Amino acid sequence: MDYKKLRQEMVKDQLITRGINDERVLATFYKVEREKFVPCDLQKDAYGDFPLSIGEGQTISQPYMVALMTQSLELKGCERVLEIGTGSGYQTAILAELTEEVYSVERIKSLSQKADSLLKKMGYSKVKIFVSDGTMGWEKYSPYERILVTAGAKQAPQPLINQLKDEGIMVIPVGSTYSQELKVFRKKKGRVRSKTVERCIFVPLIGKYGWSEGVGNE
Ligand code: SAM
């Protein structure tokens, strides 16, 4: 399969036409090989306009949603970013292309290990990955200029708000277990304001400040 061509078509047909216009973000989506982050039998669909299964009941998000979340972070290149929900590692690679320091937390060990070895193999050696409940953040390296949550929360977890630096931005899907709104939180002088950028559907954010295990499976 000509993945390069599929990647170029994805950027043009799914991202640019829907308003993704940050040149650095677009260049990254032209570059990162999404097919490497999906199971072999799904590689032919890697550039489809939909999420794909990555095992353990989890998904790699639709390319447009990854691009919209990334663009909403307004990365300039020197920010310390915390990602919650490493999943396949695709979004992590996108972030690592766009900024200096990336920290990523995943609660499922097998996904985390797979993403970690793939990212290292692909040369993203500076990314730090941790298996834990990401609703608690990753205190050790806080505060973060940017936080991205890639699973659906019932509300923005307080530890993440606390670990967000002043003038920082947090992007997070908030809503029910079945549908959410993608929200952008901005912290200014200790106060946090949010706006909604899109409707979305994510797997649930499970943890102490998220949903209980087993939710969404009933
Ligand atoms: N960004 C990922 C990618 O590019 O493949 C997709 C992430 S997937 C939509 C959401 C991920 O969040 C899942 O891998 C899930 O296990 C993880 N997750 C859910 N709750 C979590 C938590 N409390 N802490 C860390 N990861 C969590």
Side-chain angles (χ1 to χ4, degrees):
M1 296 214 70
D2 187 349
Y3 289 118
K4 188 171 177 196
K5 184 159 172 270
L6 291 176
R7 196 153 54 245
Q8 286 170 343
E9 286 171 0
M10 175 272 284
V11 172
K12 196 155 60 67
D13 301 343
Q14 299 174 36
L15 308 192
I16 295 174
T17 55
R18 289 183 178 130
I20 303 298
N21 55 12
D22 180 322
E23 290 299 332
R24 292 182 70 235
V25 172
L26 292 172
T28 302
F29 278 79
Y30 277 123
K31 178 175 174 189
V32 178
E33 296 163 314
R34 185 173 161 94
E35 69 275 13
K36 297 206 167 147
F37 294 88
V38 305
C40 294
D41 58 331
L42 296 179
Q43 281 184 337
K44 60 179 184 339
D45 296 322
Y47 294 95
D49 192 14
F50 37 76
L52 289 171
S53 169
I54 54 170
E56 305 282 0
Q58 306 303 321
T59 53
I60 176 173
S61 303
Q62 173 199 27
Y64 166 65
M65 195 46 68
V66 180
L68 181 62
M69 292 192 293
T70 308
Q71 178 163 278
S72 301
L73 288 171
E74 299 178 15
L75 294 169
K76 301 286 177 277
C78 54
E79 297 85 357
R80 177 176 290 197
V81 180
L82 175 66
E83 178 194 32
I84 307 302
T86 317
S88 68
Y90 176 64
Q91 171 81 74
T92 322
I94 297 279
L95 294 173
E97 289 282 346
L98 290 166
T99 194
E100 281 292 306
E101 283 183 72
V102 180
Y103 301 83
S104 187
V105 182
E106 170 58 55
R107 65 182 282 274
I108 300 176
K109 193 173 173 187
S110 61
L111 292 179
S112 176
Q113 286 175 334
K114 206 166 158 194
D116 195 16
S117 69
L118 177 60
L119 288 164
K120 287 208 170 77
K121 210 165 105 190
M122 292 178 79
Y124 299 106
S125 48
K126 277 167 62 186
V127 171
K128 284 197 166 53
I129 291 191
F130 185 37
V131 179
S132 186
D133 172 7
T135 66
M136 310 283 287
W138 194 350
E139 180 94 56
K140 185 174 175 190
Y141 298 101
S142 68
Y144 301 93
E145 274 105 8
R146 301 289 187 267
I147 297 179
L148 172 59
V149 180
T150 70
K154 44 176 145 178
Q155 61 200 37
Q158 191 59 45
L160 298 184
I161 294 173
N162 297 346
Q163 291 173 30
L164 184 65
K165 200 169 177 174
D166 209 49
E167 303 292 323
I169 298 175
M170 171 159 63
V171 175
I172 177 169
V174 178
S176 71
T177 51
Y178 298 103
S179 90
Q180 305 90 31
E181 291 179 335
L182 187 67
K183 294 207 175 270
V184 177
F185 286 76
R186 284 172 196 270
K187 197 178 201 179
K188 277 207 175 101
K189 300 201 172 100
R191 294 189 56 188
V192 179
R193 292 218 165 91
S194 75
K195 70 167 187 184
T196 300
V197 289
E198 183 69 282
R199 291 210 64 81
C200 53
I201 302 175
F202 279 81
V203 293
L205 180 74
I206 311 258
K208 185 169 179 201
Y209 293 88
W211 299 100
S212 314
E213 191 130 15
V215 85
N217 298 334
E218 60 277 345

